[in-house]
Amino acid sequence: MLNINLLTLNLIMMKETNSKKTQIAATCLLYTIANADNNIDEKELSIIKDILIDFFSIDHIDTRELMDESYNTWHNSTDLFQFGNILNNELTHQDKLDFILCIYEVAYIDGKCDYFEQEAIKKIANILNIHRNELISAKSEIQYYLK
């Protein structure tokens, strides 16, 4: 079972993954989940910022710049594969599992994970080569923590 501390995941990457392209790709995927209902609200933006600070160990100023640059990249993109491909090349399998927990954190920030968010998560997990049982385990872990 995955051991997480929601909102302060404090994920330290196992290898050097602080490249700008990796950070942008991860942020774009987080934006995808936040926008699954065609509306990105302040709670979602706030949790994305917290996740980026913890996941990549970057400061608040760098995070704001990263979010702005990533939003433009995400807004002009046509698919998720380009972002997932970058993460596949840069992250370990465990890092990708941790990132899926972050994605669920964004989805559940409003207290529920709706159909469109869940479908987007499934697509991302598939691109990241996350097995179905691992995805179910991650979702269960987040749900357990939120109780």
Side-chain angles (χ1 to χ4, degrees):
M1 184 168 261
L2 299 171
N3 184 16
I4 64 165
N5 182 6
L6 199 60
L7 296 180
T8 55
L9 287 172
N10 295 325
L11 299 171
I12 305 301
M13 306 307 285
M14 301 308 266
K15 64 184 233 184
E16 184 60 40
T17 58
N18 284 333
S19 76
K20 188 76 161 186
K21 70 178 182 175
T22 303
Q23 294 173 356
I24 290 171
T27 308
C28 288
L29 293 177
L30 294 171
Y31 276 132
T32 298
I33 301 305
N35 190 57
D37 60 358
N38 293 315
N39 180 42
I40 301 175
D41 66 31
E42 285 303 314
K43 288 191 298 188
E44 291 166 327
L45 291 173
S46 179
I47 196 62
I48 289 171
K49 182 177 179 182
D50 291 345
I51 288 167
L52 295 173
I53 289 168
D54 288 342
F55 200 82
F56 291 110
S57 301
I58 56 178
D59 65 35
H60 292 277
I61 294 170
D62 289 341
T63 303
R64 185 72 252 161
E65 292 171 5
L66 172 62
M67 289 178 71
D68 290 343
E69 184 176 349
S70 298
Y71 182 83
N72 291 330
T73 301
W74 170 77
H75 187 70
N76 293 317
S77 68
T78 57
D79 66 16
L80 301 177
F81 183 77
Q82 62 183 323
F83 307 125
N85 192 44
I86 291 169
L87 297 186
N88 277 331
N89 291 329
E90 297 292 324
L91 302 180
T92 66
H93 189 73
Q94 184 60 51
D95 292 337
K96 292 187 284 186
L97 288 173
D98 292 341
F99 185 69
I100 288 293
L101 289 170
C102 295
I103 286 175
Y104 270 117
E105 193 173 355
V106 173
Y108 277 106
I109 193 65
D110 61 358
K112 63 184 181 350
C113 180
D114 70 26
Y115 173 80
F116 295 111
E117 289 168 327
Q118 186 59 42
E119 289 302 306
I121 292 168
K122 287 179 186 176
K123 286 180 188 176
I124 292 168
N126 186 46
I127 293 168
L128 296 179
N129 302 310
I130 302 296
H131 299 282
R132 183 175 183 274
N133 62 332
E134 293 171 318
L135 186 62
I136 291 168
S137 178
K139 183 177 180 179
S140 295
E141 185 72 22
I142 291 293
Q143 290 172 329
Y144 176 79
Y145 183 82
L146 294 174
K147 287 182 183 181

